[in-house]
Amino acid sequence: MSVPPEKKQRLSVYVESDLKRRLADFADRRGQSVSLIAEAAIASFLSPDADERKEAAIVKRLDRIIRNLQRLERDLEITSETLALFVRFWLNSTVPQPEEAQAAARAKGAERYDQFIAALGRRLSQGPKLDHEVSEKVEQNY
């Protein structure tokens, strides 16, 4: 002898008109009844594993953020080391100017610095980035 399934109970709730419209739109897109969608949403909300699913989603997002931060940290370290190496090389290879040539050297340095800033602005707005150039050079050498 089989037991007939229990009849569903009627539930009347009040919701904001915007929420009701969104629920109806969602049900239409899914080809399901509003009642079925609402029942599934309530069941999901009351499910004991709902919190675990939310936590898993948060952990997944946090893992992605951590990986991005680690990549940024690595890139910043590479940039810092590159700058330090350049400055050390420049300081070791640049001969000090005599007193009478320093004013002209400062003027030329200011002109070159302005050109550098303009080139940097162009490169940041449209040009290839250093990490792409480095990876391309490495691939060409191997």
Side-chain angles (χ1 to χ4, degrees), residues 6-46:
E6 199 174 307
K7 273 184 116 176
K8 291 187 177 186
Q9 300 292 311
R10 180 177 180 87
L11 173 67
S12 295
V13 296
Y14 294 94
V15 295
E16 297 287 330
S17 59
D18 181 58
L19 181 60
K20 184 177 181 196
R21 179 190 51 76
R22 290 173 38 210
L23 179 61
D25 290 346
F26 185 80
D28 286 343
R29 283 194 309 272
R30 299 283 189 210
Q32 303 287 331
S33 71
V34 171
S35 179
L36 182 66
I37 299 296
E39 181 181 0
I42 293 169
S44 174
F45 185 79
L46 297 176

mmCIF file of all heavy atoms in Angstrom, residues 6-46:
data_model
loop_
_atom_site.group_PDB
_atom_site.id
_atom_site.type_symbol
_atom_site.label_atom_id
_atom_site.label_comp_id
_atom_site.label_asym_id
_atom_site.label_seq_id
_atom_site.Cartn_x
_atom_site.Cartn_y
_atom_site.Cartn_z
ATOM 1 N N GLU A 6 1.957 14.188 0.417
ATOM 2 C CA GLU A 6 1.265 15.194 1.206
ATOM 3 C C GLU A 6 0.930 16.391 0.318
ATOM 4 O O GLU A 6 1.731 16.801 -0.527
ATOM 5 C CB GLU A 6 2.178 15.646 2.352
ATOM 6 C CG GLU A 6 1.440 16.312 3.463
ATOM 7 C CD GLU A 6 2.365 16.601 4.630
ATOM 8 O OE1 GLU A 6 3.036 15.663 5.093
ATOM 9 O OE2 GLU A 6 2.417 17.753 5.042
ATOM 10 N N LYS A 7 -0.249 16.930 0.485
ATOM 11 C CA LYS A 7 -0.664 18.086 -0.295
ATOM 12 C C LYS A 7 0.154 19.296 0.121
ATOM 13 O O LYS A 7 0.480 19.468 1.294
ATOM 14 C CB LYS A 7 -2.147 18.388 -0.054
ATOM 15 C CG LYS A 7 -3.093 17.639 -0.941
ATOM 16 C CD LYS A 7 -4.509 18.091 -0.664
ATOM 17 C CE LYS A 7 -5.062 18.756 -1.881
ATOM 18 N NZ LYS A 7 -6.463 19.131 -1.704
ATOM 19 N N LYS A 8 0.456 20.135 -0.831
ATOM 20 C CA LYS A 8 1.173 21.375 -0.519
ATOM 21 C C LYS A 8 0.235 22.322 0.203
ATOM 22 O O LYS A 8 -0.967 22.348 -0.051
ATOM 23 C CB LYS A 8 1.697 22.029 -1.788
ATOM 24 C CG LYS A 8 2.821 21.246 -2.438
ATOM 25 C CD LYS A 8 3.409 22.012 -3.580
ATOM 26 C CE LYS A 8 4.573 21.246 -4.166
ATOM 27 N NZ LYS A 8 5.259 22.010 -5.191
ATOM 28 N N GLN A 9 0.808 23.079 1.104
ATOM 29 C CA GLN A 9 0.044 24.039 1.896
ATOM 30 C C GLN A 9 0.108 25.416 1.240
ATOM 31 O O GLN A 9 1.140 25.808 0.700
ATOM 32 C CB GLN A 9 0.623 24.135 3.309
ATOM 33 C CG GLN A 9 0.609 22.828 4.068
ATOM 34 C CD GLN A 9 -0.803 22.390 4.405
ATOM 35 O OE1 GLN A 9 -1.588 23.177 4.920
ATOM 36 N NE2 GLN A 9 -1.114 21.155 4.084
ATOM 37 N N ARG A 10 -0.966 26.136 1.301
ATOM 38 C CA ARG A 10 -1.025 27.487 0.745
ATOM 39 C C ARG A 10 -0.353 28.444 1.734
ATOM 40 O O ARG A 10 -0.519 28.340 2.938
ATOM 41 C CB ARG A 10 -2.471 27.886 0.506
ATOM 42 C CG ARG A 10 -2.616 29.275 -0.074
ATOM 43 C CD ARG A 10 -4.101 29.576 -0.343
ATOM 44 N NE ARG A 10 -4.239 30.883 -0.894
ATOM 45 C CZ ARG A 10 -4.165 31.174 -2.182
ATOM 46 N NH1 ARG A 10 -3.972 30.201 -3.054
ATOM 47 N NH2 ARG A 10 -4.290 32.401 -2.617
ATOM 48 N N LEU A 11 0.403 29.412 1.184
ATOM 49 C CA LEU A 11 1.078 30.413 1.994
ATOM 50 C C LEU A 11 0.871 31.766 1.338
ATOM 51 O O LEU A 11 1.166 31.927 0.142
ATOM 52 C CB LEU A 11 2.585 30.092 2.085
ATOM 53 C CG LEU A 11 3.462 31.125 2.765
ATOM 54 C CD1 LEU A 11 3.123 31.208 4.262
ATOM 55 C CD2 LEU A 11 4.922 30.768 2.575
ATOM 56 N N SER A 12 0.404 32.708 2.057
ATOM 57 C CA SER A 12 0.231 34.071 1.537
ATOM 58 C C SER A 12 1.265 34.960 2.196
ATOM 59 O O SER A 12 1.388 34.988 3.424
ATOM 60 C CB SER A 12 -1.171 34.603 1.856
ATOM 61 O OG SER A 12 -2.151 33.851 1.184
ATOM 62 N N VAL A 13 2.001 35.661 1.378
ATOM 63 C CA VAL A 13 3.012 36.577 1.892
ATOM 64 C C VAL A 13 2.869 37.918 1.190
ATOM 65 O O VAL A 13 2.335 38.002 0.077
ATOM 66 C CB VAL A 13 4.445 36.033 1.685
ATOM 67 C CG1 VAL A 13 4.672 34.763 2.473
ATOM 68 C CG2 VAL A 13 4.740 35.812 0.226
ATOM 69 N N TYR A 14 3.365 38.945 1.840
ATOM 70 C CA TYR A 14 3.376 40.274 1.255
ATOM 71 C C TYR A 14 4.817 40.621 0.891
ATOM 72 O O TYR A 14 5.717 40.478 1.715
ATOM 73 C CB TYR A 14 2.819 41.301 2.246
ATOM 74 C CG TYR A 14 1.355 41.097 2.539
ATOM 75 C CD1 TYR A 14 0.937 40.343 3.629
ATOM 76 C CD2 TYR A 14 0.390 41.649 1.706
ATOM 77 C CE1 TYR A 14 -0.395 40.145 3.886
ATOM 78 C CE2 TYR A 14 -0.960 41.455 1.959
ATOM 79 C CZ TYR A 14 -1.338 40.712 3.054
ATOM 80 O OH TYR A 14 -2.670 40.527 3.294
ATOM 81 N N VAL A 15 5.005 41.051 -0.344
ATOM 82 C CA VAL A 15 6.333 41.456 -0.801
ATOM 83 C C VAL A 15 6.199 42.801 -1.509
ATOM 84 O O VAL A 15 5.116 43.184 -1.965
ATOM 85 C CB VAL A 15 6.968 40.414 -1.755
ATOM 86 C CG1 VAL A 15 7.242 39.107 -1.034
ATOM 87 C CG2 VAL A 15 6.121 40.187 -2.972
ATOM 88 N N GLU A 16 7.298 43.482 -1.620
ATOM 89 C CA GLU A 16 7.321 44.756 -2.342
ATOM 90 C C GLU A 16 6.958 44.500 -3.806
ATOM 91 O O GLU A 16 7.249 43.429 -4.354
ATOM 92 C CB GLU A 16 8.723 45.382 -2.269
ATOM 93 C CG GLU A 16 9.179 45.733 -0.869
ATOM 94 C CD GLU A 16 8.450 46.948 -0.316
ATOM 95 O OE1 GLU A 16 8.053 47.826 -1.106
ATOM 96 O OE2 GLU A 16 8.273 46.995 0.911
ATOM 97 N N SER A 17 6.352 45.497 -4.428
ATOM 98 C CA SER A 17 5.915 45.320 -5.815
ATOM 99 C C SER A 17 7.094 45.067 -6.754
ATOM 100 O O SER A 17 6.989 44.268 -7.693
ATOM 101 C CB SER A 17 5.100 46.529 -6.284
ATOM 102 O OG SER A 17 5.870 47.709 -6.192
ATOM 103 N N ASP A 18 8.229 45.707 -6.487
ATOM 104 C CA ASP A 18 9.414 45.486 -7.329
ATOM 105 C C ASP A 18 9.909 44.048 -7.206
ATOM 106 O O ASP A 18 10.263 43.416 -8.201
ATOM 107 C CB ASP A 18 10.530 46.463 -6.932
ATOM 108 C CG ASP A 18 11.763 46.287 -7.788
ATOM 109 O OD1 ASP A 18 11.642 46.410 -9.031
ATOM 110 O OD2 ASP A 18 12.849 46.006 -7.227
ATOM 111 N N LEU A 19 9.909 43.517 -5.983
ATOM 112 C CA LEU A 19 10.326 42.133 -5.776
ATOM 113 C C LEU A 19 9.370 41.165 -6.475
ATOM 114 O O LEU A 19 9.807 40.195 -7.096
ATOM 115 C CB LEU A 19 10.414 41.822 -4.282
ATOM 116 C CG LEU A 19 10.870 40.409 -3.912
ATOM 117 C CD1 LEU A 19 12.254 40.116 -4.464
ATOM 118 C CD2 LEU A 19 10.849 40.236 -2.405
ATOM 119 N N LYS A 20 8.090 41.446 -6.394
ATOM 120 C CA LYS A 20 7.110 40.584 -7.064
ATOM 121 C C LYS A 20 7.314 40.604 -8.576
ATOM 122 O O LYS A 20 7.262 39.568 -9.239
ATOM 123 C CB LYS A 20 5.692 41.031 -6.720
ATOM 124 C CG LYS A 20 4.639 40.118 -7.306
ATOM 125 C CD LYS A 20 3.248 40.524 -6.905
ATOM 126 C CE LYS A 20 2.263 39.528 -7.512
ATOM 127 N NZ LYS A 20 0.911 40.008 -7.498
ATOM 128 N N ARG A 21 7.586 41.791 -9.130
ATOM 129 C CA ARG A 21 7.835 41.903 -10.571
ATOM 130 C C ARG A 21 9.095 41.133 -10.960
ATOM 131 O O ARG A 21 9.102 40.380 -11.936
ATOM 132 C CB ARG A 21 7.977 43.382 -10.966
ATOM 133 C CG ARG A 21 8.254 43.581 -12.458
ATOM 134 C CD ARG A 21 8.630 45.012 -12.794
ATOM 135 N NE ARG A 21 9.701 45.569 -11.976
ATOM 136 C CZ ARG A 21 10.995 45.278 -12.123
ATOM 137 N NH1 ARG A 21 11.382 44.424 -13.033
ATOM 138 N NH2 ARG A 21 11.895 45.839 -11.347
ATOM 139 N N ARG A 22 10.176 41.270 -10.161
ATOM 140 C CA ARG A 22 11.420 40.556 -10.455
ATOM 141 C C ARG A 22 11.221 39.044 -10.365
ATOM 142 O O ARG A 22 11.764 38.289 -11.180
ATOM 143 C CB ARG A 22 12.521 41.015 -9.506
ATOM 144 C CG ARG A 22 12.972 42.432 -9.804
ATOM 145 C CD ARG A 22 13.952 43.031 -8.813
ATOM 146 N NE ARG A 22 14.936 42.107 -8.318
ATOM 147 C CZ ARG A 22 15.487 42.191 -7.115
ATOM 148 N NH1 ARG A 22 15.160 43.151 -6.288
ATOM 149 N NH2 ARG A 22 16.382 41.316 -6.729
ATOM 150 N N LEU A 23 10.434 38.608 -9.389
ATOM 151 C CA LEU A 23 10.138 37.183 -9.242
ATOM 152 C C LEU A 23 9.367 36.669 -10.454
ATOM 153 O O LEU A 23 9.692 35.614 -11.006
ATOM 154 C CB LEU A 23 9.338 36.943 -7.954
ATOM 155 C CG LEU A 23 8.918 35.503 -7.664
ATOM 156 C CD1 LEU A 23 10.127 34.602 -7.509
ATOM 157 C CD2 LEU A 23 8.055 35.465 -6.404
ATOM 158 N N ALA A 24 8.383 37.423 -10.897
ATOM 159 C CA ALA A 24 7.597 37.021 -12.071
ATOM 160 C C ALA A 24 8.462 37.001 -13.325
ATOM 161 O O ALA A 24 8.364 36.071 -14.140
ATOM 162 C CB ALA A 24 6.403 37.969 -12.247
ATOM 163 N N ASP A 25 9.321 38.000 -13.480
ATOM 164 C CA ASP A 25 10.228 38.030 -14.644
ATOM 165 C C ASP A 25 11.166 36.829 -14.638
ATOM 166 O O ASP A 25 11.399 36.196 -15.668
ATOM 167 C CB ASP A 25 11.052 39.322 -14.652
ATOM 168 C CG ASP A 25 10.228 40.558 -14.964
ATOM 169 O OD1 ASP A 25 9.074 40.412 -15.442
ATOM 170 O OD2 ASP A 25 10.732 41.679 -14.720
ATOM 171 N N PHE A 26 11.706 36.519 -13.470
ATOM 172 C CA PHE A 26 12.614 35.378 -13.351
ATOM 173 C C PHE A 26 11.894 34.081 -13.688
ATOM 174 O O PHE A 26 12.413 33.231 -14.424
ATOM 175 C CB PHE A 26 13.200 35.320 -11.931
ATOM 176 C CG PHE A 26 14.226 34.250 -11.747
ATOM 177 C CD1 PHE A 26 15.532 34.430 -12.167
ATOM 178 C CD2 PHE A 26 13.889 33.043 -11.135
ATOM 179 C CE1 PHE A 26 16.487 33.434 -12.002
ATOM 180 C CE2 PHE A 26 14.828 32.042 -10.960
ATOM 181 C CZ PHE A 26 16.134 32.248 -11.388
ATOM 182 N N ALA A 27 10.675 33.932 -13.160
ATOM 183 C CA ALA A 27 9.893 32.721 -13.432
ATOM 184 C C ALA A 27 9.589 32.603 -14.922
ATOM 185 O O ALA A 27 9.664 31.504 -15.496
ATOM 186 C CB ALA A 27 8.595 32.746 -12.620
ATOM 187 N N ASP A 28 9.262 33.708 -15.568
ATOM 188 C CA ASP A 28 8.994 33.687 -17.014
ATOM 189 C C ASP A 28 10.236 33.263 -17.799
ATOM 190 O O ASP A 28 10.147 32.467 -18.727
ATOM 191 C CB ASP A 28 8.530 35.072 -17.496
ATOM 192 C CG ASP A 28 7.106 35.389 -17.072
ATOM 193 O OD1 ASP A 28 6.365 34.456 -16.696
ATOM 194 O OD2 ASP A 28 6.740 36.586 -17.114
ATOM 195 N N ARG A 29 11.389 33.824 -17.423
ATOM 196 C CA ARG A 29 12.628 33.465 -18.135
ATOM 197 C C ARG A 29 12.951 31.986 -17.974
ATOM 198 O O ARG A 29 13.487 31.365 -18.879
ATOM 199 C CB ARG A 29 13.796 34.307 -17.608
ATOM 200 C CG ARG A 29 13.819 35.730 -18.122
ATOM 201 C CD ARG A 29 15.150 36.419 -17.855
ATOM 202 N NE ARG A 29 15.621 36.332 -16.494
ATOM 203 C CZ ARG A 29 15.316 37.178 -15.518
ATOM 204 N NH1 ARG A 29 14.522 38.191 -15.757
ATOM 205 N NH2 ARG A 29 15.810 37.010 -14.304
ATOM 206 N N ARG A 30 12.657 31.424 -16.813
ATOM 207 C CA ARG A 30 12.927 30.015 -16.550
ATOM 208 C C ARG A 30 11.828 29.090 -17.045
ATOM 209 O O ARG A 30 12.003 27.878 -17.049
ATOM 210 C CB ARG A 30 13.099 29.780 -15.040
ATOM 211 C CG ARG A 30 14.226 30.532 -14.426
ATOM 212 C CD ARG A 30 15.528 29.859 -14.754
ATOM 213 N NE ARG A 30 16.584 30.498 -13.973
ATOM 214 C CZ ARG A 30 17.818 30.582 -14.374
ATOM 215 N NH1 ARG A 30 18.184 30.060 -15.501
ATOM 216 N NH2 ARG A 30 18.705 31.190 -13.642
ATOM 217 N N GLY A 31 10.673 29.673 -17.397
ATOM 218 C CA GLY A 31 9.556 28.842 -17.832
ATOM 219 C C GLY A 31 8.955 28.053 -16.679
ATOM 220 O O GLY A 31 8.466 26.935 -16.878
ATOM 221 N N GLN A 32 9.025 28.605 -15.480
ATOM 222 C CA GLN A 32 8.520 27.951 -14.274
ATOM 223 C C GLN A 32 7.448 28.838 -13.636
ATOM 224 O O GLN A 32 7.348 30.018 -13.944
ATOM 225 C CB GLN A 32 9.648 27.727 -13.269
ATOM 226 C CG GLN A 32 10.801 26.919 -13.782
ATOM 227 C CD GLN A 32 10.454 25.447 -13.930
ATOM 228 O OE1 GLN A 32 9.619 24.928 -13.208
ATOM 229 N NE2 GLN A 32 11.097 24.788 -14.871
ATOM 230 N N SER A 33 6.714 28.263 -12.720
ATOM 231 C CA SER A 33 5.704 29.050 -12.021
ATOM 232 C C SER A 33 6.358 29.893 -10.924
ATOM 233 O O SER A 33 7.410 29.528 -10.395
ATOM 234 C CB SER A 33 4.646 28.143 -11.401
ATOM 235 O OG SER A 33 5.191 27.432 -10.312
ATOM 236 N N VAL A 34 5.724 31.011 -10.606
ATOM 237 C CA VAL A 34 6.199 31.872 -9.537
ATOM 238 C C VAL A 34 6.219 31.093 -8.228
ATOM 239 O O VAL A 34 7.152 31.207 -7.429
ATOM 240 C CB VAL A 34 5.300 33.132 -9.423
ATOM 241 C CG1 VAL A 34 5.631 33.932 -8.176
ATOM 242 C CG2 VAL A 34 5.434 33.998 -10.661
ATOM 243 N N SER A 35 5.219 30.266 -8.022
ATOM 244 C CA SER A 35 5.123 29.471 -6.801
ATOM 245 C C SER A 35 6.321 28.531 -6.665
ATOM 246 O O SER A 35 6.907 28.395 -5.585
ATOM 247 C CB SER A 35 3.816 28.679 -6.811
ATOM 248 O OG SER A 35 3.710 27.881 -5.658
ATOM 249 N N LEU A 36 6.700 27.866 -7.770
ATOM 250 C CA LEU A 36 7.826 26.934 -7.735
ATOM 251 C C LEU A 36 9.143 27.675 -7.444
ATOM 252 O O LEU A 36 9.960 27.208 -6.641
ATOM 253 C CB LEU A 36 7.923 26.171 -9.062
ATOM 254 C CG LEU A 36 9.033 25.131 -9.131
ATOM 255 C CD1 LEU A 36 8.750 23.991 -8.152
ATOM 256 C CD2 LEU A 36 9.151 24.597 -10.540
ATOM 257 N N ILE A 37 9.329 28.828 -8.062
ATOM 258 C CA ILE A 37 10.546 29.617 -7.838
ATOM 259 C C ILE A 37 10.593 30.084 -6.380
ATOM 260 O O ILE A 37 11.629 29.988 -5.718
ATOM 261 C CB ILE A 37 10.610 30.823 -8.799
ATOM 262 C CG1 ILE A 37 10.638 30.370 -10.262
ATOM 263 C CG2 ILE A 37 11.803 31.722 -8.470
ATOM 264 C CD1 ILE A 37 11.855 29.580 -10.658
ATOM 265 N N ALA A 38 9.478 30.584 -5.864
ATOM 266 C CA ALA A 38 9.432 31.057 -4.478
ATOM 267 C C ALA A 38 9.690 29.902 -3.514
ATOM 268 O O ALA A 38 10.420 30.049 -2.530
ATOM 269 C CB ALA A 38 8.083 31.716 -4.195
ATOM 270 N N GLU A 39 9.113 28.740 -3.785
ATOM 271 C CA GLU A 39 9.317 27.574 -2.930
ATOM 272 C C GLU A 39 10.793 27.170 -2.912
ATOM 273 O O GLU A 39 11.362 26.895 -1.851
ATOM 274 C CB GLU A 39 8.451 26.412 -3.415
ATOM 275 C CG GLU A 39 8.575 25.171 -2.566
ATOM 276 C CD GLU A 39 7.713 24.013 -3.076
ATOM 277 O OE1 GLU A 39 7.024 24.181 -4.102
ATOM 278 O OE2 GLU A 39 7.751 22.956 -2.444
ATOM 279 N N ALA A 40 11.428 27.157 -4.092
ATOM 280 C CA ALA A 40 12.842 26.792 -4.168
ATOM 281 C C ALA A 40 13.706 27.819 -3.438
ATOM 282 O O ALA A 40 14.676 27.452 -2.751
ATOM 283 C CB ALA A 40 13.273 26.678 -5.631
ATOM 284 N N ALA A 41 13.365 29.104 -3.559
ATOM 285 C CA ALA A 41 14.140 30.145 -2.881
ATOM 286 C C ALA A 41 14.017 30.014 -1.366
ATOM 287 O O ALA A 41 15.011 30.129 -0.639
ATOM 288 C CB ALA A 41 13.670 31.524 -3.339
ATOM 289 N N ILE A 42 12.811 29.753 -0.883
ATOM 290 C CA ILE A 42 12.609 29.591 0.559
ATOM 291 C C ILE A 42 13.342 28.346 1.063
ATOM 292 O O ILE A 42 14.007 28.374 2.098
ATOM 293 C CB ILE A 42 11.102 29.537 0.902
ATOM 294 C CG1 ILE A 42 10.458 30.896 0.629
ATOM 295 C CG2 ILE A 42 10.888 29.127 2.351
ATOM 296 C CD1 ILE A 42 8.939 30.875 0.669
ATOM 297 N N ALA A 43 13.247 27.258 0.315
ATOM 298 C CA ALA A 43 13.935 26.029 0.710
ATOM 299 C C ALA A 43 15.445 26.245 0.753
ATOM 300 O O ALA A 43 16.123 25.778 1.676
ATOM 301 C CB ALA A 43 13.585 24.896 -0.252
ATOM 302 N N SER A 44 15.971 26.966 -0.233
ATOM 303 C CA SER A 44 17.402 27.237 -0.262
ATOM 304 C C SER A 44 17.812 28.101 0.924
ATOM 305 O O SER A 44 18.837 27.869 1.558
ATOM 306 C CB SER A 44 17.768 27.940 -1.566
ATOM 307 O OG SER A 44 19.115 28.325 -1.556
ATOM 308 N N PHE A 45 16.977 29.095 1.239
ATOM 309 C CA PHE A 45 17.270 29.986 2.361
ATOM 310 C C PHE A 45 17.269 29.230 3.687
ATOM 311 O O PHE A 45 18.098 29.490 4.561
ATOM 312 C CB PHE A 45 16.244 31.122 2.391
ATOM 313 C CG PHE A 45 16.513 32.156 3.437
ATOM 314 C CD1 PHE A 45 17.464 33.142 3.239
ATOM 315 C CD2 PHE A 45 15.813 32.146 4.633
ATOM 316 C CE1 PHE A 45 17.712 34.098 4.198
ATOM 317 C CE2 PHE A 45 16.061 33.091 5.610
ATOM 318 C CZ PHE A 45 17.010 34.071 5.392
ATOM 319 N N LEU A 46 16.365 28.292 3.825
ATOM 320 C CA LEU A 46 16.237 27.538 5.075
ATOM 321 C C LEU A 46 17.129 26.303 5.137
ATOM 322 O O LEU A 46 17.223 25.662 6.175
ATOM 323 C CB LEU A 46 14.769 27.122 5.286
ATOM 324 C CG LEU A 46 13.769 28.271 5.452
ATOM 325 C CD1 LEU A 46 12.356 27.726 5.542
ATOM 326 C CD2 LEU A 46 14.115 29.117 6.666
#
